[in-house]
Amino acid sequence: MIALVFLFASASPAAPRENARADASSSSPAYLFSASFDYATGKEVIEDRSSANPQAAAQQQQFVIDRIEFIGNRRVRSDTLIARIFSRKGDVYNEETLRRDFQALWNTQFFEDVKLRVEDSPNISNGKIIIFDVKERPQIRRIRYDGIHSVSESDILDRFKERKVGLSVESQFDPTKIKKAEVALKELLGEHGRQFAKVTPQYERIASSNAVILVFKIEEGPKVKVGKIKFTGNHAFSDRKLIRAMRHDRPYSIPLYFWYIPVLTKTYDRQKLSEDLEVGVRGLYRDNGYFKVSVGEPILENIDTQSYRLGVPLVMGRSHGKAVNITIPIEEGERFRMGTLKIVSSDPDKALSLKVDALKAAFPLKQGDLFSTEKVRKALETYGKIYGEYGFIDFTPEPDTEVDDANKIINLTLRFDEQKQYFVRRIDFSGNTTTRDKVIRRELMIDEGQLFNKRLWELSVLRLNQLDYFDKIEADKAAEIKRNNKEGTVDINLKLKEKGKQSIGLQGGVSGLAGSFIGLTYQTNNFLGLGETLTFSAQFGDLSRSFVFGFTEPYLFDRPISSGFTIFSSRYKFDQARQAALYTGQAVSINPQFIQNYNQDSTGFTAFASYPVRKLSFTRIGLQYGLTRTNITAFNDASKLLFTQLQFRSIAGPSALNGIVSSTITPTITYNTVNNPINPTGGKSYFYSLGLSGLGGNVKSLSNVFDWKYYHPVNKRRNVLAFHASGAFITGYGGGEPPPYSRFYMGGEGDIRGFDIRSITPVTYIPVKTAQQFTYTCNTCLNGFGQPTQRTVSLPVLGYTISFPGGDTQGYGNIGYRIPIIGNTFQTELFFDGGTNGIVRKGALRLDPTGFKNLTDPLNGFPDAPNLTQQLSIARGTNFRLRGSTGIEFVVQLPIIQAPFRVYYAYNVHRLHSRVIAPNNFIEPSLICDRQHDGLPACPTGVQLGYYPANLPDVFDNQMKPILQQLLLNPGSLNYFEPARTFRFTVSRTF
């Protein structure tokens, strides 16, 4: 019986119904049968006034049915109703048959009121007229959900569709469907923690129409959280470990090594609790040998809770809620081990196609190992893949366990239903409106006429995704496979959706390397549908300018030889003061003696080719040749010293800055299974290159670069755990060294995000000859008028400039957890970056021989300067200093603008925060030593008084001595304070 409570917008319909009955009774004969649905009580009211007297039944045989009429039906045609009843015109009048007719009409649920009456026919003396007075059920014009907050209306409609409620707007008012909707609503709210929700269906009549507005009045009540979780009977595993196995009910927590800190409790859901008990708790035991573990029915205790709103005491007040304490009884039972393994065919008349010994070798459990259902499950998946490689695409394994309680072992029998072996008859493509079939077909690892190898088919789909010509292809969804069981063949139709082959991107933003910039990029990655790539890009910024034109042919001469070339021209302005101002957002003051400020202009080209080590392999070997001409324009002494005093080519002095020609040949080897070049979600890649410069040009260097990436999908393949590691080493040979701009500088969005661009480098001191000038009045030196004249004394000083030469070795790694919020358009990533940079070959950091000879010249140099060697010293604590950075970034990637815009915040957990002090300045003691020795060097052997104290005693004591003391006692220094945290906007990706 259906029980609904409805409120009326107008007066109760009971009164009109009673009046109608009164009128009917007064103006017409009594109804033989009547039925109505009373909305006030939610019950059906059925009355039967037919005669139960057998004599009356015999008298009824004298009458016949003259006609059948329906009164009150509007939407339902009379012909439809005639078809629903048993009586027909001309039949013998029988009240028992009419009772069946009445019941059949009422059961259609078309009407809320049905009455059957009988009248004498005016046309036939023994005729009867059967009249059905009906009142159609109202139509639902609108459905409203009042008081709903935890779920959206679309969630409700999805649940109605899932549960097949059948309730919708413009449908007929049906109490049964409304009851089903009420149950579905309570179930949906219960899944969102509203177990105490009340759902009351009501309706409002719409005036002058047989229609209603259906209203679900909802009182959600408090959200029920998961309270304390306890276990009884557990000995093998602690409560903490069992709770961590309950994916749906364990609290949100912060992991700390072997422990975790609970932060937030989850919403209680009985269905999810059942899944946790079966998959989580029971699965944990069965994976560790407890095959007969019994997880009992949980004991639930509803409790009232109080907590601070938003977690803020006093200010926000307290909120009241509900929680469920859960006690789970467990009977662990005995621990079982693996016994014998049998692999047999499910068909006793047919032997297995594959060797049993080879199949057993693939099983992960050996005899005597703890029995694990998880390993058995994975083994069955492995067998499915093995058989799939041999064309048995409908292979089905059936495990059968035999428990030996006495010996505590489980004997396992696997019955394999191989079914039919399939070959590929035809492969077709649809949706490739631009890309030619041969471009797609050459990436496939299976061909027509071959066995249908599921593994090779999956790899073929991976290769197609790597092209990035189409929207992401799912191997099990995009391929339509039609089987021909009789012939044992399959036809494959691969459904594709082309991406735009041409893209014009307007880029702009702020980058640590380029500063503020704007750029234009044109690229066609599938030129004429042949898979060729044509690229042109131009970028202008306040720190950089670049032009690049490139072309790539993936299949040269219809062979898998990927070849191409690029032509480029670039200018890079390295201005430390300006970049520091860019990072901090304000002008900064840096000692100009120590900053680098130079321009680097480069032009050149590269040509490359690569070939797979075997057909359709993911491993390729390649060869690249590049020719680059570089000119350096230094704007301050620090940069000039960096490029002119360090030995990296046979030319010394200013000429070393121009015409730096690098002719480099680079063999490479790569392995790449990453499934998408822009937004990867799975796969890994390896890259190694050995660059040799010196086959022409004037640079002789040897570089090694290794790079590794790995992407692992997690959380049901929604999120991605990404890893990246890179290492490089560069050295010179044949008396040459790499130019300073080829050495390694780390920091910035390309490697360690929390640090400034090119800021991670060892620090060294470059000795430089300067002069300290003093002006004094010479009383003995008179001019033509007999007046004293001004004289200048130039005192040679050996000073040290702090410089950043870059390292010859670097290594860094990145770990990221990527969470797509809106597909690939908007993503967030939690990251950690760490690495180091330093100099292994310290002997390579040497002064140019000509420059060193000038510094040690006996006449104009400093031959007696202590610790002055051709090899430069490295500042303590700056060589191979570990840096680390962690934080969060948000990435927006618009389809029109082919560039990832991102904002990230980084906290530097390992950084350098110290003051770098250069060696003391040096002045020849024979020039400035005196008898007092107050801050000045002692006189060398055989010298009693320095030249200037002896010849200009007054000038020396009054003018020169204070300045020299300051100069000698206060060497140059640099505050090397790397930032503790960084907030930055860039247009790039780290990896």
Side-chain angles (χ1 to χ4, degrees):
M1 191 67 66
I2 301 175
L4 297 176
V5 180
F6 292 94
L7 296 180
F8 291 82
S10 58
S12 172
R17 193 160 48 241
E18 292 174 359
N19 294 335
R21 290 175 180 171
D23 294 342
S25 63
S26 62
S27 60
S28 61
Y31 291 104
L32 190 63
F33 304 103
S34 66
S36 62
F37 187 83
D38 191 341
Y39 292 108
T41 61
K43 296 181 179 179
E44 295 178 350
V45 180
I46 300 177
E47 296 182 4
D48 186 351
R49 298 187 180 90
S50 61
S51 176
N53 189 348
Q55 295 180 356
Q59 294 175 357
Q60 294 172 12
Q61 303 294 326
Q62 303 174 3
F63 301 100
V64 295
I65 299 175
D66 182 25
R67 67 177 183 269
I68 301 173
E69 296 181 357
F70 296 93
I71 301 175
N73 57 313
R74 295 182 180 180
R75 292 192 301 271
V76 185
R77 297 178 58 183
S78 297
D79 294 343
T80 304
L81 299 178
I82 285 290
R84 294 298 185 103
I85 63 177
F86 302 94
S87 298
R88 293 292 183 269
K89 180 182 178 180
D91 290 352
V92 175
Y93 175 81
N94 187 308
E95 288 186 359
E96 186 62 32
T97 304
L98 292 180
R99 180 183 288 108
R100 292 172 57 197
D101 292 341
F102 170 80
Q103 194 64 43
L105 202 62
W106 176 250
N107 288 340
T108 62
Q109 297 190 2
F110 293 158
F111 311 105
E112 65 178 24
D113 200 334
V114 178
K115 297 181 178 66
L116 188 155
R117 56 189 172 91
V118 180
E119 296 182 359
D120 295 331
S121 172
N123 301 323
I124 303 175
S125 59
N126 64 338
K128 295 289 185 181
I129 301 175
I130 311 300
I131 302 173
F132 289 91
D133 289 319
V134 297
K135 183 178 181 182
E136 293 181 341
R137 289 187 175 181
Q139 194 174 30
I140 300 174
R141 289 290 171 82
R142 184 183 171 192
I143 303 177
R144 203 170 69 230
Y145 306 92
D146 291 349
I148 195 75
H149 303 290
S150 298
V151 295
S152 64
E153 189 169 336
S154 62
D155 294 333
I156 297 173
L157 296 178
D158 290 342
R159 179 53 58 92
F160 284 177
K161 184 177 180 180
E162 180 184 337
R163 294 291 184 265
K164 299 181 180 179
V165 172
L167 185 66
S168 62
V169 175
E170 302 300 330
S171 66
Q172 197 174 39
F173 191 94
D174 188 341
T176 303
K177 293 180 179 178
I178 294 174
K179 185 63 178 178
K180 290 175 66 177
E182 178 186 345
V183 173
L185 266 173
K186 287 183 177 180
E187 179 188 71
L188 180 61
L189 289 169
E191 292 177 5
H192 288 76
R194 307 290 180 176
Q195 277 77 21
F196 296 95
K198 296 180 180 179
V199 179
T200 305
Q202 303 174 354
Y203 78 92
E204 299 173 359
R205 290 275 186 182
I206 299 177
S208 303
S209 67
N210 189 28
V212 297
I213 299 175
L214 180 60
V215 182
F216 288 95
K217 295 285 185 180
I218 300 170
E219 297 179 14
E220 291 189 341
K223 178 174 281 191
V224 181
K225 295 287 188 177
V226 176
K228 295 180 180 179
I229 302 177
K230 299 179 181 179
F231 295 88
T232 60
N234 58 309
H235 304 289
F237 302 108
S238 65
D239 285 10
R240 181 178 63 87
K241 188 167 186 177
L242 292 172
I243 291 173
R244 294 307 299 167
M246 301 173 69
R247 186 170 65 91
H248 298 297
D249 292 284
R250 67 190 181 198
Y252 296 104
S253 58
I254 301 174
L256 291 177
Y257 203 48
F258 292 115
W259 199 253
Y260 66 93
I261 301 176
V263 178
L264 293 173
T265 57
K266 291 185 178 179
T267 301
Y268 172 74
D269 185 339
R270 185 62 181 85
Q271 291 184 350
K272 292 182 178 179
L273 174 60
S274 300
E275 181 180 342
D276 276 344
L277 296 180
E278 178 63 27
V279 179
V281 177
R282 190 165 181 262
L284 176 64
Y285 273 98
R286 288 169 65 91
D287 292 345
N288 288 273
Y290 295 92
F291 187 74
K292 287 191 172 182
V293 63
S294 174
V295 181
E297 190 69 19
I299 302 172
L300 307 178
E301 179 188 3
N302 294 317
I303 60 172
D304 297 323
T305 61
Q306 286 187 348
S307 61
Y308 293 111
R309 292 193 181 116
L310 303 178
V312 181
L314 302 179
V315 179
M316 303 301 294
R318 290 179 175 270
S319 62
H320 300 273
K322 293 279 188 179
V324 176
N325 290 336
I326 304 171
T327 302
I328 303 170
I330 296 176
E331 294 181 10
E332 293 180 339
E334 299 291 339
R335 212 171 191 183
F336 289 82
R337 296 185 177 272
M338 181 67 191
T340 59
L341 172 66
K342 295 181 180 179
I343 299 179
V344 299
S345 173
S346 60
D347 186 354
D349 298 329
K350 179 183 177 183
L352 293 176
S353 302
L354 303 182
K355 294 183 178 180
V356 175
D357 292 339
L359 294 173
K360 286 185 177 181
F363 193 75
L365 291 176
K366 305 302 179 184
Q367 193 166 357
D369 292 348
L370 286 174
F371 190 83
S372 170
T373 55
E374 176 65 19
K375 291 183 178 180
V376 173
R377 188 161 42 248
K378 289 183 177 179
L380 298 182
E381 294 176 359
T382 301
Y383 287 132
K385 294 178 180 178
I386 292 174
Y387 268 89
E389 294 180 9
Y390 292 93
F392 298 96
I393 58 178
D394 295 325
F395 166 79
T396 303
E398 298 177 4
D400 185 15
T401 56
E402 179 188 346
V403 180
D404 186 346
D405 291 313
N407 297 315
K408 300 298 182 294
I409 60 173
I410 296 177
N411 299 317
L412 181 64
T413 301
L414 300 179
R415 305 184 189 277
F416 288 174
D417 184 6
E418 295 180 338
Q419 300 194 38
K420 203 170 188 64
Q421 190 177 32
Y422 288 90
F423 290 79
V424 179
R425 189 183 77 90
R426 186 177 179 85
I427 302 176
D428 293 320
F429 311 105
S430 60
N432 54 318
T433 56
T434 301
T435 307
R436 304 187 187 185
D437 281 5
K438 76 169 188 177
V439 175
I440 305 172
R441 198 174 295 276
R442 68 194 183 192
E443 299 297 331
L444 301 183
M445 304 182 73
I446 60 176
D447 203 354
E448 294 167 349
Q450 296 179 350
L451 275 173
F452 180 57
N453 188 320
K454 291 182 69 174
R455 171 62 178 165
L456 294 183
W457 176 250
E458 292 172 355
L459 293 177
S460 300
V461 172
L462 172 61
R463 290 171 62 89
L464 289 173
N465 281 323
Q466 287 180 327
L467 296 177
D468 201 31
Y469 298 164
F470 313 100
D471 288 347
K472 186 177 180 181
I473 306 170
E474 300 285 351
D476 54 344
K477 297 179 181 178
E480 181 182 351
I481 301 176
K482 294 182 180 179
R483 294 171 173 82
N484 187 331
N485 295 325
K486 183 178 180 180
E487 301 293 335
T489 60
V490 294
D491 293 342
I492 305 173
N493 181 29
L494 184 60
K495 299 177 182 178
L496 306 168
K497 185 177 180 181
E498 296 264 13
K499 284 185 176 181
K501 67 173 184 175
Q502 297 183 11
S503 63
I504 299 177
L506 179 65
Q507 305 173 8
V510 179
S511 168
L513 182 63
S516 57
F517 70 94
I518 186 171
L520 178 67
T521 301
Y522 169 80
Q523 176 175 312
T524 171
N525 63 349
N526 193 4
F527 188 57
L528 300 178
L530 295 173
E532 298 162 342
T533 301
L534 186 68
T535 303
F536 172 76
S537 67
Q539 183 172 293
F540 303 90
D542 54 358
L543 296 180
S544 68
R545 169 191 58 79
S546 66
F547 298 95
V548 178
F549 175 77
F551 177 79
T552 302
E553 168 58 65
Y555 265 69
L556 187 64
F557 308 123
D558 283 334
R559 303 191 63 177
I561 303 174
S562 178
S563 58
F565 66 89
T566 58
I567 302 172
F568 62 89
S569 174
S570 65
R571 165 173 286 189
Y572 174 59
K573 300 178 181 179
F574 185 64
D575 187 343
Q576 274 187 304
R578 190 169 184 179
Q579 287 184 338
L582 181 66
Y583 296 140
T584 60
Q586 60 184 1
V588 296
S589 177
I590 303 178
N591 190 339
Q593 181 184 1
F594 304 135
I595 64 172
Q596 299 293 335
N597 188 1
Y598 62 88
N599 284 358
Q600 177 181 323
D601 294 278
S602 300
T603 56
F605 76 93
T606 59
F608 56 87
S610 66
Y611 190 81
V613 294
R614 61 179 183 272
K615 185 180 179 182
L616 301 176
S617 171
F618 291 96
T619 302
R620 302 180 73 93
I621 56 175
L623 188 66
Q624 175 178 306
Y625 174 76
L627 181 65
T628 305
R629 182 183 180 89
T630 303
N631 294 323
I632 303 295
T633 304
F635 296 106
N636 64 353
D637 292 337
S639 297
K640 291 177 181 178
L641 289 171
L642 178 65
F643 287 98
T644 61
Q645 297 299 320
L646 293 184
Q647 177 183 354
F648 69 91
R649 54 184 294 198
S650 59
I651 302 175
S655 298
L657 300 178
N658 297 317
I660 306 173
V661 179
S662 176
S663 175
T664 306
I665 186 169
T666 307
T668 64
I669 182 170
T670 61
Y671 174 82
N672 184 13
T673 61
V674 177
N675 57 11
N676 189 281
I678 300 177
N679 296 297
T681 58
K684 57 187 174 182
S685 71
Y686 301 93
F687 171 82
Y688 174 74
S689 68
L690 177 64
L692 177 64
S693 299
L695 304 178
N698 48 33
V699 174
K700 293 183 178 181
S701 65
L702 186 68
S703 63
N704 295 267
V705 177
F706 174 78
D707 193 83
W708 169 78
K709 297 176 184 176
Y710 177 68
Y711 303 93
H712 181 69
V714 294
N715 193 17
K716 297 183 178 180
R717 308 188 72 84
R718 287 193 293 264
N719 305 337
V720 178
L721 197 59
F723 301 90
H724 176 225
S726 181
F729 174 75
I730 189 169
T731 183
Y733 70 93
E737 294 296 337
Y741 62 80
S742 295
R743 299 175 71 90
F744 302 129
Y745 297 84
M746 288 171 49
E749 60 265 25
D751 38 56
I752 304 181
R753 278 162 269 200
F755 294 81
D756 296 340
I757 186 71
R758 294 171 62 91
S759 65
I760 301 177
T761 168
V763 177
T764 188
Y765 314 109
I766 300 178
V768 57
K769 179 180 179 181
T770 61
Q772 181 68 46
Q773 294 185 345
F774 301 93
T775 302
Y776 65 97
T777 302
C778 179
N779 295 322
T780 61
C781 306
L782 304 178
N783 58 17
F785 299 98
Q787 297 174 340
T789 59
Q790 297 287 325
R791 292 297 177 94
T792 301
V793 174
S794 182
L795 187 62
V797 179
L798 177 64
Y800 289 87
T801 295
I802 297 175
S803 185
F804 309 99
D808 59 14
T809 305
Q810 72 171 13
Y812 64 90
N814 314 97
I815 300 175
Y817 184 69
R818 299 177 179 177
I819 306 170
I821 299 175
I822 306 176
N824 291 327
T825 304
F826 182 42
Q827 303 178 8
T828 185
E829 178 180 353
L830 304 174
F831 66 84
F832 174 80
D833 304 330
T836 187
N837 179 301
I839 299 173
V840 173
R841 297 181 63 251
K842 298 180 181 180
L845 199 64
R846 302 171 63 86
L847 286 174
D848 182 86
T850 304
F852 182 71
K853 184 177 180 180
N854 293 334
L855 291 176
T856 57
D857 183 70
L859 297 179
N860 299 314
F862 307 91
D864 299 327
N867 303 321
L868 178 60
T869 61
Q870 189 174 357
Q871 181 175 330
L872 302 182
S873 60
I874 300 175
R876 184 177 181 182
T878 64
N879 197 32
F880 291 108
R881 177 67 176 258
L882 180 65
R883 264 81 162 190
S885 178
T886 185
I888 184 172
E889 76 174 24
F890 298 94
V891 182
V892 177
Q893 187 170 330
L894 302 178
I896 299 176
I897 303 176
Q898 300 294 324
F901 293 84
R902 65 172 173 171
V903 175
Y904 64 82
Y905 171 83
Y907 176 76
N908 296 330
V909 292
H910 296 288
R911 62 191 179 102
L912 183 61
H913 192 271
S914 62
R915 191 179 186 189
V916 178
I917 301 176
N920 292 328
N921 298 322
F922 176 79
I923 302 174
E924 283 293 338
S926 60
L927 298 177
I928 60 172
C929 63
D930 64 356
R931 297 182 179 89
Q932 298 179 6
H933 305 300
D934 47 354
L936 298 179
C939 291
T941 304
V943 178
Q944 296 183 353
L945 190 63
Y947 174 81
Y948 290 106
N951 294 285
L952 299 171
D954 295 335
V955 174
F956 182 81
D957 291 336
N958 297 327
Q959 297 185 35
M960 299 179 65
K961 189 173 183 178
I963 296 177
L964 293 177
Q965 289 174 334
Q966 183 74 14
L967 186 65
L968 294 176
L969 296 178
N970 294 282
S973 63
L974 174 66
N975 291 330
Y976 207 123
F977 297 159
E978 292 174 333
R981 53 189 60 85
T982 300
F983 182 79
R984 188 170 298 164
F985 167 75
T986 66
V987 185
S988 63
R989 290 294 290 263
T990 301
F991 72 102

